[in-house]
Amino acid sequence: AYDTMYESTRRMADAICEGLSAEGVRWSRHHLGVSHQSDVVTDMFGARGLLVGSPVWHMNVLPSVAALLDGLKALQFKGRLAGAFGSYGWQQKAAVEQIQERLRAAGMDVALPAVA
């Protein structure tokens, strides 16, 4: 699940999906700018993990990504692997660090290193 401003984070999502496919991993992709967070939550019931991406926006994640992370915290998808990715302009790790922190608060195991 990701959102993007200038397509950099989308290109990262493209590369991640290509890598997952090459390894035979089944995946679902949600661009939060056009998909609703309920679609992500529905897929999470059968998923073993989640990757979340956002560019830095006002020293934070994009509002659509923040809404997803807030919803996941309420649902507590415990025991799922999680990771963060994102593009940046001014603050290299601001968004990915916030995503990781919020995924942990949602009960997920952030075992994958962030990619920025």
Side-chain angles (χ1 to χ4, degrees):
Y2 72 98
D3 205 350
T4 190
M5 289 189 311
Y6 301 111
E7 302 305 315
S8 297
T9 308
R10 181 199 51 79
R11 288 193 297 274
M12 293 180 82
D14 290 345
I16 290 167
C17 290
E18 287 174 21
L20 292 171
S21 292
E23 294 298 319
V25 176
R26 288 184 40 219
W27 51 270
S28 296
R29 178 180 174 153
H30 297 281
H31 176 188
L32 296 170
V34 295
S35 296
H36 194 271
Q37 67 175 319
S38 64
D39 296 329
V40 179
V41 170
T42 299
D43 281 347
M44 282 300 297
F45 284 105
R48 292 183 11 198
L50 174 66
L51 299 171
V52 178
S54 177
V56 176
W57 182 74
H58 297 289
M59 298 299 295
N60 206 328
V61 298
L62 286 172
S64 59
V65 176
L68 171 67
L69 294 167
D70 289 344
L72 293 174
K73 183 178 180 184
L75 294 169
Q76 290 289 306
F77 282 105
K78 294 182 180 184
R80 305 248 187 355
L81 290 175
F85 67 96
S87 55
Y88 61 89
W90 302 107
Q91 293 295 321
Q92 181 175 357
K93 297 189 179 195
V96 294
E97 288 174 352
Q98 288 180 35
I99 293 170
Q100 287 179 313
E101 181 180 306
R102 292 171 87 169
L103 288 169
R104 285 186 189 101
M108 295 188 188
D109 181 13
V110 182
L112 303 169
V115 177

